Amino acid sequence: MNQLDEQERLKHFLTIEGLSRALLTEVLDTAERFSPVGERAVKNVPLLRGKTVVNLFFEPSTRTRTTFELAAKRLSADIINLNIAASATTKGESLTDTLRTLEAMQCDMFVVRHQNSGAAAFIAKKVAPHISVINAGDGRYQHPTQAMLDMFTIRRVKQNFNDLIVAIVGDITHSRVARSEIQALSTLGVAEIRVVGPKTLIPDKIEALGAQVFNDIETGIAGADVVIMLRLQQERMNSPLLPSAQEYFQSYGLTEQRLKLADKNAIVMHPGPINRGIEIDSAVADGPQSVILNQVVHGIAVRMAVMSLVIGAHAAGTN
Amino acid sequence: MKIDVAELLDRMSVELQKNITAEARENTVFVGVHTGGVWIAQHLHNRLANPFPVGELNIAFYRDDFSRIGLHPTVEPSKLPFDVNNRHLILVDDILYTGRTVRAAMNEIFDYGRPSSITLVALVERGGRELPIKADIVGTRLNLAASEHVKLFGPDHLRLELCEAKT
């Protein structure tokens, strides 16, 4: 599924893979322009007035759904939240029929979260040509807006990407966030990308994406400018891939002690929700180097940017 | 086209000085519309020795042509580094043409707060209005055909140039 139009503008936002540095930078710059809107008395702009956005969530999510909702509202769009797991599909309606129904309601954009990899691209292929699709996380494949808000957060603090060492710590295999981030970091030209975790949670051939593998957190985060901690999913804690949550914290949890090994100005990030005492110590999560709450705030501006870029490309394309 | 921009600015600042009442003076702020309007606002602001920083508006999110041409690629966000409420606002644009930019600018200003008044200042009023919006203070009036285009170059050595519009 091609997410770009003939003029190389984003008409969908499905994956970081294949996007140019110029395009990623355009998303970040546009988000930078939206950022001050959130600090005004009236926090919305009339850009998407009259447009209808549907949050199509096949998998539960609070943070991502809420920030997409807020982003749409700040752009003056109308937004509907559809929790599909608890809705039409349980009544036996097929996905295609659900999409046709929503199209008939004159929707302009679907924000899709799904447990299957490739679901957003599949939906983008199925929908009417005037509809934009944004991937809000599909299976183990991609979570492109999360990656972009992380890039935004990194750029805000570090100004540029060139000399940075970035360590991503945790369950890399099952993480769509990690995959999107590695691609974004490599396209934006960071000096070094490291993935850190137990052998059982690091996929084969990850080096091909440009990442170095470390199985030991101490060496993995040594000298790093950015440390991104990943959430250890509940279902992984009781799986044979890991001994136990406690032991995981012993080996891979980010503590104040360990953070001292990173660069003294290092920032700590986490896509949330946090498992305190499992992948990260509370003292670090709430500490001075943590930018976890900034990530949430930046998520709104970045999602506003992506939404207006894809709808804008559609608008321009119809002329 | 030979128009001395500095001379226009001198005249405009004299007129503006008269326009601002003594009691309004310490409550007056300058806001320029990106990018030419900001340059003009900066010059007038300096000539009038206004104590507040110059506000900058980038109206890209308020344009009425988004649904036809999409998002305008511009870099600078809007910056109004003062409270807009109860202020006398001098809104400055370089070229006043259809009035759509000013409408968008006023919509944006009211999302920051409720000013006491807005005075519209334009370096050039070129004719071709499509909305009932007129400047209070104008540097010069030009009667241009739709195919003609006037553009301000700057920010150093501000100069106006007339050319045929691209089709």
Side-chain angles (χ1 to χ4, degrees), chain A residues 16 94 147 166 242 299:
Chain A
I16 299 290
S94 79
V166 181
L242 278 182

Side-chain angles (χ1 to χ4, degrees), chain A:
Chain A
M1 181 67 211
N2 193 354
Q3 55 186 346
L4 302 177
D5 67 8
E6 312 77 55
Q7 276 136 54
E8 305 279 296
R9 289 173 307 203
L10 279 170
K11 62 178 183 202
H12 303 290
F13 194 52
L14 307 172
T15 173
I16 299 290
E17 196 174 354
L19 295 183
S20 66
R21 184 185 294 197
L23 229 156
L24 298 189
T25 307
E26 187 190 1
V27 171
L28 297 178
D29 290 345
T30 307
E32 200 64 67
R33 287 159 57 199
F34 278 114
S35 195
V37 173
E39 291 150 25
R40 304 187 325 196
V42 175
K43 292 179 178 53
N44 40 0
V45 294
L47 205 59
L48 299 192
R49 220 171 121 239
K51 305 284 181 194
T52 306
V53 178
V54 180
N55 262 342
L56 209 52
F57 277 56
F58 296 87
E59 193 184 74
S61 151
T62 310
R63 180 177 323 240
T64 303
R65 206 208 60 219
T66 315
T67 47
F68 266 111
E69 191 175 345
L70 214 46
K73 286 185 169 165
R74 290 199 177 161
L75 290 167
S76 304
D78 294 312
I79 181 146
I80 304 163
N81 285 306
L82 275 188
N83 190 348
I84 300 291
S87 169
T89 45
T90 54
K91 294 182 189 161
E93 189 179 38
S94 79
L95 175 60
T96 317
D97 285 335
T98 307
L99 294 177
R100 290 292 161 271
T101 309
L102 293 169
E103 281 170 12
M105 295 176 193
Q106 306 290 328
C107 296
D108 301 282
M109 181 190 291
F110 293 154
V111 177
V112 179
R113 157 72 64 102
H114 201 286
Q115 58 276 16
N116 292 346
S117 304
F122 175 82
I123 288 172
K125 230 180 273 181
K126 290 268 177 195
V127 293
H130 71 278
I131 294 181
S132 316
V133 176
I134 294 180
N135 186 358
D138 60 335
R140 297 183 193 181
Y141 179 53
Q142 284 278 333
H143 195 348
T145 57
Q146 176 72 44
M148 290 316 291
L149 76 89
D150 291 342
M151 299 306 117
F152 186 87
T153 307
I154 293 172
R155 195 176 76 164
R156 266 280 171 101
V157 184
K158 301 291 181 189
Q159 315 313 331
N160 61 59
F161 294 96
N162 301 348
D163 306 318
L164 297 182
I165 301 174
V166 181
I168 306 174
V169 185
D171 179 0
I172 309 293
T173 302
H174 303 93
S175 174
R176 53 193 173 210
V177 175
R179 188 174 312 271
S180 293
E181 271 170 346
I182 292 168
Q183 287 166 350
L185 288 165
S186 127
T187 304
L188 290 167
V190 297
E192 206 178 317
I193 307 168
R194 302 172 182 174
V195 292
V196 185
K199 284 194 180 70
T200 48
L201 295 180
I202 293 195
D204 296 338
K205 305 199 181 98
I206 187 86
E207 291 92 343
L209 291 177
Q212 281 178 266
V213 176
F214 291 79
N215 296 122
D216 171 69
I217 188 171
E218 270 95 16
T219 50
I221 66 170
D225 300 289
V226 178
V227 181
I228 302 174
M229 302 305 295
L230 298 174
R231 176 178 166 80
L232 191 67
Q233 304 288 343
Q234 216 76 38
E235 61 263 36
R236 229 67 72 201
M237 295 180 202
N238 307 314
S239 83
L241 296 173
L242 278 182
S244 73
Q246 289 72 20
E247 245 176 276
Y248 182 83
F249 183 69
Q250 291 297 319
S251 318
Y252 293 100
L254 187 61
T255 57
E256 283 182 305
Q257 203 59 39
R258 282 182 174 144
L259 184 55
K260 287 195 183 114
L261 300 167
D263 183 82
K264 66 175 177 7
N265 296 317
I267 52 170
V268 176
M269 302 178 33
H270 191 298
I274 311 171
N275 289 311
R276 289 169 186 270
I278 294 175
E279 68 260 357
I280 189 166
D281 197 26
S282 273
V284 176
D286 307 328
Q289 286 168 275
S290 164
V291 292
I292 295 172
L293 290 177
N294 304 43
Q295 289 175 266
V296 179
V297 175
H298 297 158
I300 302 168
V302 166
R303 284 165 180 139
M304 287 170 81
V306 171
M307 284 175 157
S308 38
L309 286 170
V310 295
I311 288 204
H314 268 91
T318 55
N319 239 17

Side-chain angles (χ1 to χ4, degrees), chain A residues 30 32-34 36-37 40-42 44-48 51 308-309 311-312 315-316 318-319, chain B residues 58 60-63 66-78 108 110-113:
Chain A
T30 307
E32 200 64 67
R33 287 159 57 199
F34 278 114
V37 173
R40 304 187 325 196
V42 175
N44 40 0
V45 294
L47 205 59
L48 299 192
K51 305 284 181 194
S308 38
L309 286 170
I311 288 204
T318 55
N319 239 17
Chain B
N58 184 336
F61 302 146
Y62 288 78
R63 294 182 66 106
F66 173 75
S67 59
R68 291 194 298 129
I69 57 179
L71 201 58
H72 277 250
T74 43
V75 188
E76 287 294 301
S78 295
E108 177 158 11
F110 280 84
D111 284 347
Y112 282 85

